[in-house]
């Protein structure tokens, strides 16, 4: 079978499917190919994010937090429920059903936008021809002007920790456990390790996270990281820093993990071990022989600021190219590329991409950390506001953490906003918008925030930059 298109997108994750939709909105003839298969063998659009990442992890984070709050917090509100029981099968069914609904939504969106969807493997051949191989091995040749590569990423595996998908697992398997492991080991205290650790700790596991680096959350502002570390410790999450895992072996239904730290060699026995040491770009079988697509030394497809590869009219977006491995970064790249293809304006502001860690308290930030501003040499001022002084946070029984605003001394530019506390991931949107519009801290100070809301914490932190906070003592 042969098809003729303006744009063929390979990969329907959060980078690829928005690219396809925007290209179709731009009146282009679009096809999108995806080979994702779920553990039951079924094909599904949505990539890592919908099937094995953002969405299922947030479903379980929500359920597990409710379980924990029902057990530990409801009585504080005067709600006594008696014996609270966990039904993990029902929790997992809900998670799977949310994923099914969301991935089904992409099928509907493709249909509504007139996009031809292929389930199977896509391969870029010479002269911008794409070969699509369906589940039954049948091949379609798609002739197209533009190709968008959005093949995403896969978990990094450690040679010395042999993955078996049962006892030694990756993040995807760890979202689908059908029993709560008594002792859970996690290698890597990055975003994924912390979120998965939070889920299973709340559901009853003793969780130990082994992290090779000495510093906790080096990507985050260190005031926030220290606050987070304190809360996680209090919650009972065991985080060993400077602990490099050197090997793991399955012995009699458990896993023996070997690691080394400054004190020497250690071993840890756990019932399940999750390897969460990062993700790598996925490009296997993506291009045919003789197609000289340029890669960088780390295996990412080489692109310029507008996601152009070295090949004419071949673009690459999302986790398979440089930059943070985040769904919303990929989405914006997809939209940019689809607009550029249509001759419209397109740009991604890589300086203002928000990051969120969906633990409790939640962590979110945008712009530079205080450490980065300090290193840049620019004079700055800082204001922060504790959620302990927020009426809304108190009412929510969530008065932990703080908001922090970093501002330039010379022109009052907002350089970074960092939040640890309730709904931090939602609150950060205000800071993203402010920074996108080059707001000054005074702009934030003069913006009316409804009372009582959590967003007042950002307002007060902005006021605190000039020692003018009202609801907290200015230091
Ligand atoms: P992917 O989502 O990996 O999609 C690529 C798709 O392309 C896949 O479906 C793949 O099967 C398909 N494909 C690859 N090669 C081919 C081929 N040759 N032919 C056909 N199809 C192909 N990010 C956030 O922003 N927020 C979060 O809360 C968040 N939570 C996460 C939690 C976990 C546990 C994990 C693992 C990741 C999380 N991420 C989160 C990261 C996020 O999932 C990724 O950044 C995002 O999915 C990348 O999108 P993508 O479209 O580039 O790639
Ligand atoms: P991220 O890249 O944010 O997903 O985080 C992955 C984390 O895993 C990083 O903080 C790494 O330092 C950590 N890591 C990588 N390899 C090892 C290892 N062998 N032992 C312990 N931690 C590791």
């Amino acid at each position: 079978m042969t098809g003729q298109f303006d744009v063929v997108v390979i990969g329907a994750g959060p980078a690829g499917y928005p690219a396809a939709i925007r290209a179709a909105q731009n009146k282009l003839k679009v096809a999108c190919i995806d080979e994702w298969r779920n553990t039951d063998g079924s094909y599904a659009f949505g990539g890592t994010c919908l099937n094995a990442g953002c969405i299922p992890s947030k479903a379980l984070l929500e359920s597990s937090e409710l379980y924990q709050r029902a057990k530990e917090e409801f009585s504080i509100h005067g709600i006594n429920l008696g014996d609270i029981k966990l039904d993990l099968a029902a929790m997992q069914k809900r998670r799977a059903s949310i994923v099914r609904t969301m991935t089904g939504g992409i099928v509907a969106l493709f249909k509504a936008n007139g996009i031809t969807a292929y389930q199977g493997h896509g391969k870029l051949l010479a002269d911008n021809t794409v070969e699509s191989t369906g589940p039954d091995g049948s091949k379609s040749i798609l002739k197209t002007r533009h190709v968008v590569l959005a093949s995403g990423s896969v978990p990094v595996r450690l040679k010395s920790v042999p993955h078996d998908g049962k006892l030694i697992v990756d993040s995807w398997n760890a979202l689908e456990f059908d029993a709560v492991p008594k002792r859970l080991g996690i290698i890597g205290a990055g975003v994924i390790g912390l979120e998965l650790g939070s889920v299973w700790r709340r559901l009853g596991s003793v969780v130990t996270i082994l992290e090779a680096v000495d510093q906790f959350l080096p990507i985050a502002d260190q005031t926030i990281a220290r606050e987070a570390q304190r809360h996680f410790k209090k919650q009972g999450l065991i985080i060993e820093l400077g602990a490099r895992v050197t090997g793991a072996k399955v012995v009699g239904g458990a896993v023996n993990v070997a690691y080394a730290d400054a004190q020497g060699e250690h071993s840890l026995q756990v019932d399940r071990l999750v390897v969460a040491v990062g993700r790598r770009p996925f490009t296997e079988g993506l291009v045919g022989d003789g197609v000289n697509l340029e890669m960088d030394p780390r295996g990412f497809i080489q692109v310029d600021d507008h996601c152009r590869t070295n090949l004419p009219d071949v673009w690459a977006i999302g986790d398979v190219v440089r930059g943070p491995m985040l769904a919303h970064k990929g989405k914006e790249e997809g939209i940019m590329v689809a607009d550029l293809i249509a001759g419209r304006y397109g740009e991604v502001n890589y300086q203002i991409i928000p990051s969120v860690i969906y633990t409790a308290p939640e962590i979110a930030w945008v712009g530079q950390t205080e450490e980065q501003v300090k290193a840049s040499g620019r004079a700055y001022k800082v204001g922060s506001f504790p959620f302990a002084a927020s009426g809304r946070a108190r009412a929510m029984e969530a008065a932990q953490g703080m908001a922090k605003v970093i501002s330039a001394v010379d022109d009052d530019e907002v350089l970074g906003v960092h939040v640890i506390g309730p709904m931090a991931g939602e609150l950060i949107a205000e800071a993203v918008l402010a920074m996108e519009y080059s707001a000054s801290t005074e702009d934030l100070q003069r913006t009316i925030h409804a009372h009582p809301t959590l967003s007042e914490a950002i307002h007060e932190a902005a006021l605190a930059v000039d020692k003018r906070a009202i609801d907290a003592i200015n230091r």
Side-chain angles (χ1 to χ4, degrees):
M1 202 174 75
T2 306
Q4 181 78 46
F5 296 93
D6 299 315
V7 184
V8 172
V9 183
I10 302 182
Y17 87 77
I21 291 174
R22 175 51 61 88
Q25 288 170 345
N26 286 336
K27 311 259 179 287
L28 298 167
K29 193 164 178 236
V30 184
C32 186
I33 312 168
D34 195 287
E35 66 182 354
W36 184 279
R37 292 181 88 156
N38 279 314
T39 34
D40 63 1
S42 61
Y43 280 83
F45 292 115
T48 306
C49 173
L50 272 76
N51 291 289
C54 323
I55 303 305
S57 61
K58 266 79 256 178
L60 288 185
L61 280 156
E62 191 65 33
S63 297
S64 60
E65 194 178 345
L66 277 179
Y67 174 65
Q68 158 124 34
R69 290 177 67 190
K71 279 204 312 187
E72 291 172 11
E73 194 186 304
F74 278 21
S75 59
I76 302 172
H77 291 266
I79 306 167
N80 291 310
L81 293 179
D83 197 18
I84 290 161
K85 283 202 189 73
L86 172 69
D87 182 349
L88 183 62
M91 199 177 275
Q92 291 291 31
K93 212 168 137 195
R94 174 183 175 273
R95 187 256 313 143
S97 146
I98 292 167
V99 167
R100 238 187 342 269
T101 308
M102 300 297 294
T103 57
I106 297 181
V107 176
L109 288 172
F110 278 175
K111 218 167 155 191
N113 284 283
I115 295 162
T116 309
Y118 290 88
Q119 280 178 313
H121 182 76
K123 187 191 267 186
L124 170 63
L125 307 177
D127 302 324
N128 290 9
T129 298
V130 173
E131 176 190 81
S132 170
T133 308
D136 59 357
S138 64
K139 291 192 190 300
S140 305
I141 294 295
L142 316 183
K143 302 253 180 225
T144 178
R145 168 84 198 273
H146 291 270
V147 179
V148 181
L149 304 172
S151 52
S153 63
V154 289
V156 169
R157 295 211 167 138
L158 297 172
K159 270 205 193 83
S160 58
V161 183
H163 174 97
D164 65 12
K166 291 190 173 69
L167 273 72
I168 300 180
V169 303
D170 61 22
S171 56
W172 187 9
N173 308 125
L175 289 166
E176 300 192 357
F177 285 155
D178 56 10
V180 179
K182 269 207 171 69
R183 301 163 300 176
L184 179 66
I186 298 180
I187 313 179
V191 178
I192 294 174
L194 289 171
E195 290 187 1
L196 288 171
S198 297
V199 166
W200 293 107
R201 184 199 59 74
R202 292 169 191 164
L203 298 180
S205 298
V206 173
V207 177
T208 307
I209 306 184
L210 301 168
E211 167 55 56
V213 172
D214 287 325
Q215 194 183 11
F216 184 61
L217 277 181
I219 52 167
D221 185 280
Q222 285 304 291
T223 316
I224 304 294
R226 277 191 297 273
E227 176 81 5
Q229 194 177 4
R230 198 169 65 76
H231 286 294
F232 297 155
K233 191 171 174 191
K234 221 163 94 191
Q235 292 165 2
L237 203 56
I238 304 160
I239 303 173
E240 304 283 359
L241 298 176
R244 171 163 292 280
V245 173
T246 51
K249 237 200 244 144
V250 173
V251 184
V255 187
N256 283 342
V257 189
Y259 68 96
D261 63 14
Q263 279 75 50
E265 311 264 321
H266 306 271
S267 74
L268 172 77
Q269 199 178 58
V270 292
D271 301 299
R272 293 275 186 288
L273 179 65
V274 185
V275 180
V277 296
R279 298 179 62 81
R280 62 174 176 84
F282 179 71
T283 53
E284 269 137 55
L286 184 62
V287 298
D289 294 340
V291 177
N292 294 315
L293 182 67
E294 228 176 87
M295 306 285 189
D296 76 10
R298 295 193 303 150
F300 291 92
I301 299 173
Q302 184 85 47
V303 287
D304 67 11
D305 286 350
H306 292 102
C307 293
R308 288 187 185 89
T309 71
N310 64 310
L311 303 174
D313 298 328
V314 177
W315 312 71
I317 56 174
D319 278 12
V320 79
V321 303
R322 84 286 173 263
M325 286 182 159
L326 293 170
H328 43 284
K329 173 263 193 186
K331 179 180 186 181
E332 291 311 313
E333 288 180 333
I335 291 170
M336 168 179 73
V337 161
D339 281 342
L340 290 173
I341 287 173
R344 290 168 174 253
Y345 174 80
E347 194 72 41
V348 171
N349 187 352
Y350 286 99
Q351 305 309 311
I352 304 181
I353 298 176
S355 296
V356 185
I357 309 178
Y358 296 82
T359 46
E362 207 161 280
I363 302 166
W365 70 92
V366 61
Q368 299 176 67
T369 62
E370 187 172 347
E371 294 72 30
Q372 287 168 334
V373 178
K374 200 177 272 172
S376 76
R378 191 159 178 195
Y380 67 94
K381 37 190 185 166
V382 174
S384 62
F385 180 81
F387 281 103
S390 154
R392 186 66 192 275
R394 288 261 170 213
M396 291 169 69
E397 199 59 34
Q400 302 163 335
M402 70 183 87
K404 171 174 172 179
V405 173
I406 307 169
S407 173
V409 167
D410 49 11
D411 62 0
D412 202 34
E413 181 188 355
V414 179
L415 301 175
V417 177
H418 305 266
V419 183
I420 175 167
M423 294 290 182
E426 303 295 331
L427 295 178
I428 206 67
E430 172 185 5
V432 177
L433 192 67
M435 290 180 70
E436 190 63 44
Y437 281 82
S438 307
S440 64
T441 301
E442 187 181 346
D443 290 327
L444 279 177
Q445 292 171 349
R446 291 190 183 278
T447 302
I448 300 174
H449 292 70
H451 176 75
T453 60
L454 297 172
S455 71
E456 287 173 295
I458 293 196
H459 186 218
E460 287 282 331
L463 288 165
V465 164
D466 294 316
K467 304 207 182 307
R468 293 168 73 81
I470 301 296
D471 288 325
I473 297 161
N474 292 288
R475 292 178 207 281

